[in-house]
Amino acid sequence: MSMNAPKADANLATKALEVSGNIISEITKNLAGLCKEKNSISVTKMDENQLVAYGISWLTAEQKVAENFLKYAWNDQIGTSELEKQMAVTFAAETVSHIRNEIISRPTEYAIPSEKVLSVLFSTEVSSFIEEFSKISNYSFIASKIIEKGHAGV
């Protein structure tokens, strides 16, 4: 591995994804509440919240892909390598970064206080994880391993 690329760490990635996953769950529950009227779903209220409902659907999908990518990369029974591990952790960092940036751009519409988003998704631990695993050295390592394995199509 490149001397500058941090070693892939599933525990750090899992912790960061747990934080973003918990926020997504809270938002989903809050949005469901906003779309209710007299204990049933209101199509009008769903329409009013359509943009963020659509957004949280995409964020949820991205979150689940990142979680499953980590499980795959650390599944020793299928023979994954450092390449898959580095890709999974880097993707997790990108995912958490994307989630927090989307949510902080319209916290009121996502029905969550901006203070909570800032304290949880922009915590020192989460920010350090994103910074560490979003470094260009990660991408350089991944690209060099892809080329080394002959998967670059070159």
Side-chain angles (χ1 to χ4, degrees):
M1 182 183 325
S2 166
M3 209 188 297
N4 296 329
K7 182 164 175 46
D9 188 328
N11 292 328
L12 288 176
T14 299
K15 286 178 186 176
L17 286 168
E18 284 174 2
V19 170
S20 58
N22 289 338
I23 291 289
I24 286 172
S25 293
E26 183 175 337
I27 289 170
T28 302
K29 185 185 289 185
N30 293 346
L31 287 176
L34 289 176
C35 294
K36 277 187 177 178
E37 191 168 61
K38 298 178 185 173
N39 289 329
S40 61
I41 296 171
S42 165
V43 174
T44 302
K45 289 188 177 197
M46 286 178 65
D47 285 345
E48 291 170 4
N49 294 287
Q50 186 177 30
L51 176 67
V52 289
Y54 178 80
I56 204 68
S57 296
W58 275 104
L59 296 177
T60 300
E62 189 174 3
Q63 172 80 24
K64 295 299 180 188
V65 169
E67 291 170 359
N68 285 307
F69 196 179
L70 275 178
K71 289 176 190 171
Y72 165 79
W74 266 268
N75 183 345
D76 294 331
Q77 296 176 348
I78 57 175
T80 56
S81 68
E82 190 60 30
L83 172 61
E84 289 85 2
K85 290 174 179 164
Q86 199 71 27
M87 289 173 68
V89 172
T90 300
F91 184 71
E94 289 178 350
T95 297
V96 176
S97 178
H98 178 236
I99 288 169
R100 75 182 192 169
N101 291 332
E102 171 59 25
I103 293 169
I104 199 61
S105 71
R106 53 175 60 91
T108 303
E109 291 180 22
Y110 276 112
I112 192 162
S114 59
E115 297 80 15
K116 181 160 190 178
V117 176
L118 291 169
S119 69
V120 176
L121 284 174
F122 287 82
S123 69
T124 301
E125 185 178 40
V126 171
S127 294
S128 295
F129 167 73
I130 291 170
E131 183 177 1
E132 186 70 9
F133 291 97
S134 296
K135 290 180 178 176
I136 193 66
S137 58
N138 292 310
Y139 299 95
S140 296
F141 170 79
I142 292 166
S144 69
K145 285 296 180 187
I146 290 170
I147 291 167
E148 182 181 298
K149 290 180 179 267
H151 298 308
V154 183

